Amino acid sequence: MEIKDIKVQICDDSVLVRKKMKDYFNSLGITEIVEAINGNEAVDVYKANKPDVVFMDIVMPEKTGVEALLDILAHDENAKVVIASSVGTQENLKIAIAAGAYDFLQKPIDFENVKKILERISEGRK
């Protein structure tokens, strides 16, 4: 699979973060992008669209990123969910990885790290 063929889900309560990520994915040729604005919606959007990867903020209204991660993994144990956080990063990293996150990004997001994650997914690596 090529990077441009990856189906991406973005989940963040910030419209600015979602727009920046969507613009970046579009610059890589990715056209299948779905969005969610909170943890509850993230789970519903995942179930409806089955994306190849989810980029999700850890701090969101209604349901945290970790709670949504657990719900998504309960639905699909092979889901690849990348958690992003700027608050209490070290502790959140441990929680997200222990919960089954595919990877972790620190905000502000470094898009080179996003690309590395996409490359791993496109190549079928863990």
Side-chain angles (χ1 to χ4, degrees), residues 12-105:
D12 200 298
D13 55 324
S14 165
V15 68
L16 180 61
V17 169
R18 290 195 316 274
K19 181 177 181 346
K20 280 184 178 181
M21 293 195 77
K22 189 172 184 176
D23 288 348
Y24 178 70
F25 295 135
N26 285 330
S27 77
L28 296 175
I30 296 172
T31 58
E32 287 193 77
I33 303 167
V34 292
E35 298 179 43
I37 61 171
N38 62 54
N40 285 331
E41 193 175 287
V43 177
D44 294 339
V45 169
Y46 183 88
K47 289 178 180 178
N49 295 280
K50 190 83 166 65
D52 297 306
V53 61
V54 178
F55 289 89
M56 183 159 36
D57 190 15
I58 200 165
V59 179
M60 289 185 297
E62 296 186 32
K63 184 178 286 191
T64 68
V66 171
E67 292 168 333
L69 164 67
L70 291 170
D71 287 352
I72 289 170
L73 289 174
H75 174 75
D76 177 3
E77 64 185 25
N78 297 312
K80 292 174 180 65
V81 180
V82 178
I83 297 289
S85 177
S86 56
V87 183
T89 301
Q90 207 55 31
E91 191 57 33
N92 283 339
L93 168 61
K94 292 176 190 170
I95 292 167
I97 296 300
Y102 180 75
D103 210 331
F104 187 89
L105 292 169

